[in-house]
Amino acid sequence: MAKIAVFFGGSSTEHSISIRTGCFICKTLHTMGHSVKPILLTKDGGWVVPLEYRMELPFESVNSPDSFLEEFQKRNAVQKTSILPSLDAEIVFLGLHGGKGEDGSIQGFLSVLGIPYTGSGVTASAIAMDKTRANQIFLHGGQKVAPFFEIHKVDYENSPEDAVSKLSSLGFPQFLKPVEGGSSVSTHKIGDSSQLKTQLALMFQTELKVMSQAFLAGTEVSCGVLERYRNGELKTIALPATEIVPGGEFFDFESKYKSGGSNEITPARISEDQMKRVQELSIAAHRSLGCRGYSRTDFIIVNGEPHILETNTLPGMTETSLIPQQAAAAKIPMEEVFADLIEIGLKNSLS
């Protein structure tokens, strides 16, 4: 059994979801017999590090980040610092989402320190987080994506009218979102040019670049990919895809994480040929971005043809997240999934 530090929380807009992911990861690793040290990254970029390897997590406060932080510090002898102290860990299990946790920053930090970690490396993490660059790679590989444009803040400020005109050419409705982000945070369904103009002005108060994609009507599905060492050989498999039926207009943050916010059906209600195609494309997306360990790719199926929406390199790992749902459908215990991620991380994080 290993000494494993779990990073969760973080400074991104997905802080609260990462806390839920971190708790699920810690609980699962604990049941596997590992020594677990939960390390909470605060919203302001600080580190809350238990001094001992013992797990005292306030699970009852998991949906309230501020209460969780308070209780976490009460129940553990911790060091709260702006600099990560020396880690007595064989590997870091990453439970972060979005921002510096998923864009390659934390991966580069750990690589410089010589500490193995789970999930994709620096390059794949950075590219997958940049939706425009990822789409360009998908297109280059012959995959289909929704038509899109990227707008930079400096160009918008020079000519707001040109920016609105360019994005309007995608038609309406369309989806306006940050180029870097996850969990559909700050994603907006735009119905007309007036709404587009208003939302662009609001988004550029906090974003340096945004992108918009044309609306595609179809069946939304998501498919996880796992890497596994078997008999000394690394194998990449696709899990059964999940069909997503949003409770709202689209699969936004509320639909993803609010109880009853969406209907998630695993396996998806699609034909056998479509399932196989989605699984093949998920593996292709995983490989084209250079992902490692695991990933999850979201699609919209239009007239029988899957179009990639995005690939997540650190997909949600809460009790109700899609990867656990899909692993259960494939009859793969999460303990087995985690064991594979740890083995791959130990073998490859520093390569």
Side-chain angles (χ1 to χ4, degrees), residues 65-109:
D66 292 336
S67 297
F68 184 90
L69 173 59
E70 182 180 346
E71 288 296 320
F72 184 68
Q73 293 178 109
K74 280 183 183 177
R75 299 186 191 193
N76 297 274
V78 301
Q79 179 179 1
K80 188 174 183 182
T81 174
S82 60
I83 301 173
L84 179 66
S86 296
L87 274 182
D88 175 27
E90 295 171 56
I91 188 170
V92 171
F93 202 117
L94 292 176
L96 299 165
H97 301 310
K100 292 179 173 58
E102 201 168 353
D103 69 357
S105 297
I106 200 75
Q107 289 80 4
F109 172 68

Side-chain angles (χ1 to χ4, degrees), residues 128-206:
M129 179 59 72
D130 188 318
K131 296 181 179 67
T132 303
R133 309 287 94 72
N135 276 345
Q136 290 167 343
I137 288 174
F138 296 148
L139 286 171
H140 183 73
Q143 305 225 45
K144 294 182 182 295
V145 303
F148 65 95
F149 285 123
E150 177 181 285
I151 302 291
H152 288 238
K153 183 176 182 178
V154 63
D155 296 325
Y156 169 78
E157 290 177 339
N158 286 336
S159 180
E161 296 80 8
D162 286 348
V164 172
S165 176
K166 182 177 183 179
L167 295 186
S168 294
S169 68
L170 291 171
F172 297 99
Q174 59 181 260
F175 289 101
L176 185 67
K177 63 187 80 171
V179 169
E180 298 181 357
S183 292
S184 299
V185 175
S186 297
T187 295
H188 303 277
K189 188 175 183 180
I190 306 297
D192 54 44
S193 58
S194 175
Q195 186 183 2
L196 176 61
K197 183 177 180 180
T198 300
Q199 199 59 55
L200 271 177
L202 290 172
M203 289 189 71
F204 278 125
Q205 291 178 11
T206 56

Side-chain angles (χ1 to χ4, degrees), residues 2 4-6 21 24-25 28-29 32 34 90-97 115-121 224-230 234-237 239 286 291-296 312-317 323-324 327 332-350:
I4 303 176
V6 177
T21 284
F24 178 75
I25 291 171
T28 304
L29 292 174
M32 294 168 67
H34 293 294
E90 295 171 56
I91 188 170
V92 171
F93 202 117
L94 292 176
L96 299 165
H97 301 310
I115 301 172
Y117 54 88
T118 58
S120 294
V225 169
L226 302 178
E227 291 181 1
R228 324 178 80 191
Y229 276 109
R230 293 296 180 270
L234 183 65
K235 297 185 177 181
T236 304
I237 67 166
L239 296 170
H286 180 92
C291 297
R292 186 169 60 215
Y294 65 153
S295 68
R296 198 196 75 233
N312 302 271
T313 55
L314 285 179
M317 204 62 76
I323 291 278
I332 302 174
M334 286 307 297
E335 291 82 0
E336 197 172 306
V337 173
F338 282 15
D340 288 327
L341 291 174
I342 292 165
E343 182 178 7
I344 291 167
L346 288 170
K347 287 184 177 180
N348 298 291
S349 281
L350 304 182

